[in-house]
Amino acid sequence: MSQKIEALAARVEQCLQGKVTRVTSSCGELTYVIAPSDWRAVAEQLRDHETLRFEMLIDLCVVDYLHHGHSEWQTEDATRSGFSRGVARDAAAQSHFAAAQGETATPPGQRFGVVCHLLSLEHNVRLRLRAFCADDDRPMIDSLVDVWASANWYEREAFDLFGVLFRGHPDLRRLLTDYGFIGHPFRKDFPLIGEVEVRYDPASGRVIYEPVSIEPRTLVPKVIRDDHRYQPEIHDEASYREAGNRA
Amino acid sequence: MPEIQSYTMNFGPQHPAAHGVLRLVLEMDGETIQKADPHVGLLHRATEKLAESKPFNQSIGYMDRLDYVSMMCNEHGYVLAIEKLLGVEAPVRAQYIRVMFDEITRILNHLMWLGAHGLDIGAMTVFLYCFREREDLMDCYEAVSGTRMHATYYRPGGVYRDLPEQMPRYQPSSFRSQKDLARMNEARSGSLLDFIADFTDRFDACVDDYETLLTDNRIWKQRTVNIGVVSPERALQLGFSGPMLRGSGVAWDLRKKQPYEVYRSLDFDIPVGVNGDCYDRYLVRIEELRQSNRIIRQCVEWLRANPGPVMIDDRKISPPTRVEMKDDMESLIHHFKLFTEGYCVPAGEAYAAVEHPKGEFGVYLVSDGANKPYRLKVRAPGFAHLAAMSEMVEGHMLADVVAVIGTQDIVFGEIDR
């Protein structure tokens, strides 16, 4: 399998010299990051070049990297405060948490990653492409609808959920959210509980929208543990000891 | 006064043939469709966002509720993605159990599809036949997981528990006679595997039954032949997969082309259509029923002969047994950590795809090293199929829209997510 991936990587890199940057993967997948300006041209080449032939766009989605690598609870050392106290409900603590997040926010132009998964039936290989939208406030990228027709709805969905605009899309409407919905719900700064709730109001005799009445809560804190427990060296005892000696 | 050329018609969302909550806005010229605009999202539950707020294992149950007629296959995609990131592999017995239940799920799904599709375009009887067999398979789900539909049975590193030694039986009741009870419990005297083996022996004849009702039926053919034709090139462009792609004549099946679990060592064939119309897709799915039955039979045989663990022996991922937990401190700690915090998955991204009954079900998982997914994207096969609705019904009659919805095997749980 890895030979196949390497052979494909060689072909891609030869065909798209200088346009692609390979991302290392631990699970035998091939991922390339490209500049948003090359997005459409690269897609077209991947589809048409005879050594590549990615006939099918399997999936297209957006990843919002706003909180990537941030944990909700610091566990580096033993804490005097349990998680429930660590994320106190009062406004001061909330804003403190927000500020802590803000300090290490993603660098500009690295927030919205548009990811597409390609499949070549002829060569039986998969490829992942990613491009970051340059502008975080008005993320925009070229549409792939005229390269792969299946991009149509994937891009509509991505626009709906993340607010990424696809230049040249024939029909960029919302897809999944309600008629008249405001906001882009899958962005990391959109609350999980939403902004509005809906109910039937007997007084006015119709369905009305109101600000949500429930409180946001975190049931299980997000923690990142850097104890390298999944690194292969640990399972191979000899190399583990060696690594320990070096340290 | 100008002559009205076309008019707009609303179809659904509350229509029995809309397979859930599909709203179609149809532009019609007389009875001919000019354009169809599906409005989806009425069942949107933001599963992917919910998953971002929970430890990995707590979202397995949500996967059942995506495509709620092929539950375990959804779990399979999700679990495989996690395993890929963790770099672990389930024990062989667990892999066989997964494959067996994937195929049981495929039969469940195709039976539901066949019954509903038949009902939609005027074949009432087949629905009743299909649900008779579905009931037995639901009982297999129940025997192994405790629930008839939303099983939450697959776990990263294996399956929740081994197959039961005893198939649950019907209890005596004042509503049924001794004779009926004995008949109903006939196949249930042994283990779950015995019950499944008995099912596989019966099932081929059942498929023959469905075929006598439909395959050469004049009305059935009039409603499906040359309806919703998709060329192989167009099917690739539109991102079709599964029976939709194979119906158009492209021999592509992940179980053969990119085998996962133990599919490599199993013997089965991939049916392929010729014309790419509703009738060919029907034939493909019918043949898949037979092939799935064949796979299940092989799995049962293997599982009978090879006992073994069904979960990896890694306490950082799989919980210890209750017994261990009661008298071993370390097991207790592992149990506590796994059920409060969960496990952390190494940072990275993975895409795992399975050959779901409807097509390629893929899960794209981004992890930042935390105990929750950073981003989960479900690639639902039905989403791409429904997106091609307009193209498939263009130029057809209104009644054919129903045939096309049926042939696409639409389920809104996975499309709206």
Side-chain angles (χ1 to χ4, degrees):
Chain A
M1 194 65 201
S2 65
Q3 273 180 347
K4 207 169 181 181
I5 290 289
E6 288 311 318
L8 171 69
R11 292 204 299 273
V12 172
E13 277 152 36
Q14 195 206 351
C15 172
L16 299 163
Q17 267 167 5
K19 284 186 180 163
V20 292
T21 320
R22 189 168 169 183
V23 180
T24 51
S25 162
S26 57
C27 40
E29 294 178 335
L30 193 57
T31 312
Y32 284 105
V33 173
I34 59 177
S37 50
D38 290 338
W39 186 244
R40 222 194 136 241
V42 165
E44 211 160 293
Q45 262 185 306
L46 286 171
R47 184 193 64 181
D48 294 334
H49 198 278
E50 65 205 42
T51 62
L52 303 170
R53 285 256 185 270
F54 286 94
E55 305 103 330
M56 212 197 274
L57 173 77
I58 284 288
D59 190 23
L60 187 145
C61 69
V62 175
V63 183
D64 178 2
Y65 283 93
L66 185 64
H67 295 164
H68 193 264
H70 297 292
S71 37
E72 288 165 327
W73 191 28
Q74 294 307 322
T75 54
E76 295 297 289
D77 41 17
T79 41
R80 275 174 290 116
S81 60
F83 175 69
S84 57
R85 279 169 283 171
V87 287
R89 294 266 165 76
D90 60 297
Q94 288 269 351
S95 64
H96 172 75
F97 180 62
Q101 299 266 311
E103 277 169 27
T104 46
T106 39
Q110 294 282 306
R111 182 173 170 189
F112 293 105
V114 184
V115 180
C116 69
H117 290 92
L118 308 178
L119 173 68
S120 163
L121 274 71
E122 193 180 317
H123 302 292
N124 194 6
V125 280
R126 291 178 189 275
L127 179 74
R128 183 183 300 127
L129 276 187
R130 179 166 43 232
F132 286 98
C133 299
D135 187 353
D136 289 345
D137 295 324
R138 282 193 83 230
M140 198 184 268
I141 199 157
D142 286 334
S143 167
L144 299 183
V145 173
D146 38 10
V147 186
W148 293 286
S150 55
N152 190 329
W153 273 31
Y154 290 123
E155 287 176 356
R156 275 180 70 184
E157 183 194 335
F159 160 70
D160 187 2
L161 302 179
F162 289 92
V164 172
L165 298 166
F166 291 88
R167 218 179 282 117
H169 190 288
D171 183 24
L172 201 62
R173 284 176 295 153
R174 282 183 179 274
L175 184 68
L176 293 176
T177 50
D178 199 359
Y179 303 113
F181 189 87
I182 299 167
H184 300 289
F186 275 32
R187 289 187 174 189
K188 287 282 176 180
D189 48 9
F190 191 94
L192 184 67
I193 55 163
E195 312 263 29
V196 289
E197 61 188 26
V198 59
R199 70 175 172 91
Y200 178 75
D201 182 33
S204 54
R206 62 187 181 88
V207 171
I208 57 166
Y209 288 85
E210 290 170 336
V212 279
S213 56
I214 48 175
E215 272 181 37
R217 0 177 242 173
T218 308
L219 294 177
V220 180
K222 176 182 169 191
V223 294
I224 297 176
R225 297 199 182 272
D226 300 311
D227 50 4
H228 312 295
R229 69 181 74 160
Y230 301 112
Q231 289 193 350
E233 303 89 70
I234 297 179
H235 300 289
D236 177 12
E237 208 166 308
S239 61
Y240 180 57
R241 251 188 243 116
E242 197 181 299
N245 289 339
R246 269 207 307 273
Chain B
M1 227 171 94
E3 203 184 329
I4 298 173
Q5 286 295 323
S6 67
Y7 57 94
T8 310
M9 204 179 94
N10 185 56
F11 177 100
Q14 300 291 342
H15 188 285
H19 286 215
V21 281
L22 169 65
R23 182 179 170 212
L24 277 175
V25 179
L26 303 167
E27 262 175 49
M28 321 258 306
D29 176 17
E31 253 210 274
T32 314
I33 313 282
Q34 289 184 325
K35 198 175 150 235
D37 180 21
H39 287 213
V40 301
L42 286 103
L43 208 60
H44 178 58
R45 296 144 297 176
T47 303
E48 293 153 350
K49 185 152 178 121
L50 283 170
E52 287 169 14
S53 69
K54 295 181 165 40
F56 284 90
N57 270 16
Q58 290 186 21
S59 301
I60 300 174
Y62 279 113
M63 297 298 128
D64 290 315
R65 287 151 181 84
L66 285 175
D67 179 353
Y68 43 74
V69 290
S70 30
M71 296 69 76
M72 287 202 198
C73 287
N74 305 338
E75 288 173 26
H76 202 167
Y78 179 62
V79 162
L80 274 183
I82 299 174
E83 285 178 355
K84 211 167 174 185
L85 273 179
L86 285 172
V88 300
E89 201 175 45
V92 193
R93 187 174 167 84
Q95 296 191 18
Y96 268 96
I97 293 177
R98 284 183 188 177
V99 166
M100 185 173 80
F101 271 95
D102 272 14
E103 298 306 321
I104 285 179
T105 308
R106 197 178 313 278
I107 295 182
L108 271 175
N109 178 80
H110 284 1
L111 287 179
M112 177 76 206
W113 162 79
L114 184 62
H117 188 33
L119 201 57
D120 283 350
I121 54 180
M124 174 82 197
T125 327
V126 68
F127 184 78
L128 303 170
Y129 278 76
C130 289
F131 269 63
R132 184 186 60 188
E133 271 73 59
R134 254 174 79 83
E135 195 57 33
D136 286 339
L137 296 175
M138 290 282 197
D139 285 348
C140 297
Y141 259 53
E142 189 176 355
V144 84
S145 72
T147 55
R148 286 161 53 82
M149 291 185 76
H150 303 303
T152 327
Y153 179 56
Y154 296 3
R155 298 291 148 89
V159 293
Y160 169 60
R161 62 174 191 183
D162 207 343
L163 304 171
E165 283 303 315
Q166 169 70 62
M167 184 72 192
R169 289 185 201 142
Y170 287 103
Q171 298 300 310
S173 123
S174 52
F175 296 103
R176 43 177 100 93
S177 68
Q178 280 293 329
K179 207 176 117 201
D180 279 349
L181 190 69
R183 181 181 51 77
M184 288 162 83
N185 280 337
E186 205 181 296
R188 294 162 190 269
S189 53
S191 68
L192 172 66
L193 283 176
D194 295 335
F195 182 76
I196 296 175
D198 177 68
F199 177 84
T200 56
D201 292 340
R202 276 183 287 137
F203 188 61
D204 275 333
C206 297
V207 181
D208 293 340
D209 282 354
Y210 316 145
E211 285 216 82
T212 35
L213 285 169
L214 297 175
T215 305
D216 289 325
N217 184 321
R218 187 160 53 88
I219 304 171
W220 180 258
K221 282 181 122 170
Q222 280 169 349
R223 291 302 306 270
T224 53
V225 174
N226 277 331
I227 303 293
V229 179
V230 184
S231 70
E233 298 77 35
R234 205 54 206 156
L236 290 176
Q237 261 285 314
L238 292 166
F240 280 14
S241 51
M244 294 291 288
L245 185 59
R246 292 193 284 275
S248 296
V250 182
W252 180 262
D253 188 312
L254 292 179
R255 294 174 295 171
K256 282 277 189 215
K257 299 286 179 178
Q258 301 178 355
Y260 49 97
E261 308 291 20
V262 291
Y263 277 114
R264 196 171 281 131
S265 51
L266 294 167
D267 191 22
F268 60 101
D269 298 321
I270 301 300
V272 176
V274 179
N275 304 317
D277 58 1
C278 291
Y279 188 67
D280 276 19
R281 287 186 283 267
Y282 155 76
L283 292 177
V284 165
R285 287 190 173 107
I286 287 285
E287 185 52 31
E288 281 188 13
L289 285 174
R290 296 185 196 277
Q291 295 301 327
S292 291
N293 198 33
R294 202 169 139 199
I295 299 175
I296 294 172
R297 207 174 287 142
Q298 294 168 48
C299 289
V300 168
E301 218 165 86
W302 191 94
L303 286 167
R304 272 182 175 155
N306 297 280
V310 293
M311 192 74 178
I312 50 163
D313 189 28
D314 183 347
R315 292 285 161 267
K316 301 293 178 208
I317 298 165
S318 72
T321 63
R322 302 295 295 179
V323 180
E324 281 172 346
M325 201 186 93
K326 299 287 179 191
D327 60 21
D328 178 26
M329 189 64 206
E330 202 171 342
S331 296
L332 184 67
I333 296 170
H334 277 138
H335 184 274
F336 178 74
K337 288 307 279 182
L338 277 172
F339 283 90
T340 52
E341 185 182 296
Y343 46 83
C344 290
V345 167
E349 51 191 341
Y351 177 83
V354 293
E355 186 69 32
H356 185 275
K358 294 182 169 60
E360 174 173 334
F361 181 89
V363 171
Y364 172 49
L365 201 58
V366 181
S367 167
D368 57 351
N371 55 339
K372 304 173 181 181
Y374 183 73
R375 169 94 166 100
L376 171 73
K377 172 71 182 19
V378 173
R379 191 269 176 198
F383 188 83
H385 298 158
L386 188 64
M389 171 63 82
S390 184
E391 210 176 300
M392 283 178 76
V393 298
E394 216 179 84
H396 283 308
M397 306 290 246
L398 176 60
D400 298 328
V401 173
V402 176
V404 171
I405 294 173
T407 196
Q408 289 188 342
D409 201 2
I410 298 292
V411 164
F412 273 88
E414 60 159 8
I415 290 168
D416 291 349
R417 279 158 290 144

